[in-house]
């Protein structure tokens, strides 16, 4: 990587920090997109009630219009205060200018109290600023409502990998806990800062990655590898095919030929999704609800067939009709799977022989 490319890679996170979204699974992102529009609406209602004693129908209609114009709000929770001040006033000037122009052209502005309108022009942006700063203060408390942070591993202790680690460790509203790095090189061969190695340890080599993901309950894997290492990347992806962790590329260049890959931001660092789990945020809640509802309905519908199969297994060979197996599920957690027995009863142990064609243990 040349110096020009290094400079672009280093400056990209700084330029993107002010605009970076907190992520789809971050509760703060919902409040962040709603705080501005909500401030406009509630300030309008408060002033209408203060000056006129009630919130009339015309104010309710106006509140719907202004919310539609302002939503989603400015994503400025991680931006500098000066940037927030300027952007809030510019955004409000555009919205207020559009509303005043439309109201004057249509004559609809005569339906509103002049005192309420004039007060709203300066109270609305001040309310939005107050709401933004209140959300910043309440941010850490809101994050705790979502439970523990998501554990992550970075594969590749290079420039972009260390940049991502630094962004994660310094981001004020990150829901990511970095467990460490995976790299084929030893500490003495790594071209990296010693303070970062101390804070984020080298956990092992890439061939140990599946075990690390399972044992440390890793939910996020960031591949910070050069795109020229295609065989190595494909090998890692193949070894991770049984994991439920989300896998992302941390690109060191613009990559345009990835099929089904889409870019997103992680603590102001661009990444490209390779295999993204659906078990998070609102999608995760919908998935869990559908699992419970659909599985109950299906079990009820096929219960007569299940009873027939259970009787057939019992008649075919001695032992229980159902047996248990240990498998790994979401976040590498061990789960118990119940199955109809199709082989003779064998005690569990450290060494289990897999079934083969014409295996004598297979039951009728």
């Amino acid at each position: 990587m040349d110096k020009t490319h290094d400079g672009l890679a280093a400056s990209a996170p700084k330029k993107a920090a002010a605009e970076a979204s907190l992520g789809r699974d971050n509760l703060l992102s919902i409040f962040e997109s709603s705080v501005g529009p909500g401030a406009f609406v509630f300030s309008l209602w408060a002033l209408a009630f203060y000056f006129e004693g009630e919130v009339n129908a015309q104010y309710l209609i106006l509140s719907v219009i202004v919310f539609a114009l302002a939503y989603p709000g400015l994503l400025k929770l991680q931006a500098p205060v000066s940037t927030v001040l300027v952007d809030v006033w510019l955004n409000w000037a555009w919205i207020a200018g559009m509303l005043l122009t439309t109201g004057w052209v249509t004559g609809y502005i005569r339906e509103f109290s002049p005192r309420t309108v004039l007060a709203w022009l300066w109270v609305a942006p001040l309310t939005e600023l107050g709401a933004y700063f209140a959300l910043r203060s309440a941010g850490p408390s809101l994050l705790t409502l979502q439970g523990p942070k998501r554990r992550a591993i970075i594969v590749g202790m290079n420039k972009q990998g260390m940049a991502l680690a630094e962004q994660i460790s310094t981001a004020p509203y990150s829901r990511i806990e970095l467990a460490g790095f995976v790299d084929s090189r030893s500490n003495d061969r790594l071209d990296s800062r010693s303070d970062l190695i101390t804070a984020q340890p080298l956990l092992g080599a890439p061939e140990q990655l599946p075990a690390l993901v399972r044992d440390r309950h890793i939910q996020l894997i960031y591949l910070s590898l050069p795109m020229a290492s295609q065989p190595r990347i494909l090998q890692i992806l193949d070894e991770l095919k049984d994991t439920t962790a989300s896998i992302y590329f941390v690109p060191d260049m613009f990559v345009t030929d990835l099929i089904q890959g889409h870019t997103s931001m992680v603590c102001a660092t661009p990444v490209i999704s390779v295999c993204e789990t659906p078990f998070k945020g609102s999608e995760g809640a919908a998935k869990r609800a559908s699992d419970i509802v659909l599985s109950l309905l299906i079990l009820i519908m096929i219960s007569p067939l299940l009873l027939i199969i259970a009787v057939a297994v019992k008649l075919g060979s001695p032992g229980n009709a159902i047996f248990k197996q240990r498998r790994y599920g979401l976040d590498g957690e061990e789960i118990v799977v119940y199955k109809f027995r199709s082989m003779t009863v064998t005690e569990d142990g450290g060494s289990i022989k897999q079934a083969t064609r014409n295996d004598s243990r297979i039951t009728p």
Side-chain angles (χ1 to χ4, degrees):
M1 185 182 294
D2 58 25
K3 294 182 178 180
T4 303
H5 197 170
D6 285 346
L8 290 173
S11 62
K14 298 178 181 179
K15 289 181 64 178
E19 304 293 337
S21 170
L22 296 172
R24 291 180 299 167
D25 65 328
N26 197 317
L27 183 63
L28 281 178
S29 64
I30 301 176
F31 290 96
E32 185 182 26
S33 60
S34 304
V35 65
F40 296 156
V41 170
F42 287 113
S43 61
L44 176 64
W45 289 355
L47 290 172
F49 187 81
Y50 177 79
F51 286 114
E52 304 180 36
E54 61 179 343
V55 181
N56 296 322
Q58 61 266 30
Y59 289 104
L60 295 177
I61 296 174
L62 178 59
S63 64
V64 173
I65 296 174
V66 73
F67 191 91
L69 288 174
Y71 187 85
L74 300 173
L75 303 180
K76 298 296 180 183
L77 200 58
Q78 303 179 85
V81 174
S82 58
T83 302
V84 175
L85 292 173
V86 173
D87 288 349
V88 164
W89 284 101
L90 289 177
N91 183 59
W92 173 242
W94 177 83
I95 294 176
M98 179 178 294
L99 292 173
L100 290 173
T101 302
T102 304
W104 178 75
V105 171
T106 61
Y108 191 63
I109 196 172
R110 291 191 294 269
E111 300 294 328
F112 300 93
S113 167
R115 291 186 303 172
T116 302
V117 173
L118 290 175
W120 188 47
L121 290 177
W122 61 268
V123 170
L126 293 178
T127 305
E128 183 182 17
L129 287 172
Y132 268 121
F133 295 135
L135 183 59
R136 287 193 177 197
S137 301
S141 299
L142 291 174
L143 288 178
T144 59
L145 298 177
Q146 292 186 263
K149 293 184 175 182
R150 307 177 72 197
R151 294 179 59 80
I153 275 181
I154 299 177
V155 182
M157 206 169 195
N158 46 32
K159 292 183 182 296
Q160 63 265 23
M162 290 188 293
L164 175 59
E166 188 171 2
Q167 291 289 340
I168 291 175
S169 61
T170 58
Y173 306 112
S174 171
R175 289 196 63 244
I176 301 174
E177 177 186 354
L178 186 58
F181 286 89
V182 169
D183 200 287
S184 57
R185 299 166 294 175
S186 59
N187 281 339
D188 56 349
R189 293 178 55 209
L190 290 170
D191 181 18
S192 56
R193 300 195 312 271
S194 59
D195 59 337
L196 186 58
I197 295 179
T198 303
Q200 308 296 342
L202 182 63
L203 303 176
E207 52 267 22
Q208 300 173 279
L209 185 57
L212 289 170
V213 170
R214 182 182 64 250
D215 297 340
R216 293 177 177 265
H217 309 296
I218 300 299
Q219 297 160 285
L220 303 169
I221 303 171
Y222 297 107
L223 301 180
S224 178
L225 299 173
M227 298 305 296
S229 305
Q230 183 182 10
R232 185 180 177 193
I233 294 174
L234 292 176
Q235 180 182 358
I236 291 176
L237 293 178
D238 183 66
E239 293 172 349
L240 295 173
K241 61 184 178 182
D242 292 330
T243 182
T244 58
S246 295
I247 305 172
Y248 300 90
F249 277 125
V250 184
D252 59 346
M253 64 186 72
F254 291 106
V255 181
T256 59
D257 58 350
L258 281 178
I259 300 175
Q260 295 181 342
H262 66 271
T263 59
S264 57
M265 300 296 293
V266 177
C267 301
T269 299
V271 298
I272 299 176
S273 68
V274 178
C275 176
E276 191 169 20
T277 178
F279 308 114
K280 63 178 184 179
S282 59
E283 295 176 353
K287 174 67 169 63
R288 181 59 177 160
S290 65
D291 283 347
I292 295 174
V293 174
L294 292 177
S295 61
L296 286 176
L297 292 176
I298 293 173
L299 285 173
I300 292 173
M301 293 172 61
I302 67 173
S303 56
L305 177 61
L306 297 180
L307 182 59
I308 294 174
I309 295 174
V311 172
V313 172
K314 291 286 290 184
L315 295 176
S317 61
N320 296 328
I322 294 176
F323 76 104
K324 297 186 294 184
Q325 273 191 329
R326 292 186 299 273
R327 289 290 184 265
Y328 292 101
L330 186 63
D331 302 336
E333 296 288 346
E334 185 178 283
I335 61 175
V336 177
V337 178
Y338 295 89
K339 297 182 177 182
F340 281 116
R341 180 171 55 84
S342 60
M343 301 180 67
T344 56
V345 176
T346 302
E347 295 299 326
D348 194 5
S351 176
I352 301 296
K353 179 183 178 182
Q354 295 295 320
T356 59
R357 183 182 296 273
N358 300 321
D359 197 307
S360 60
R361 298 172 297 170
I362 298 177
T363 63

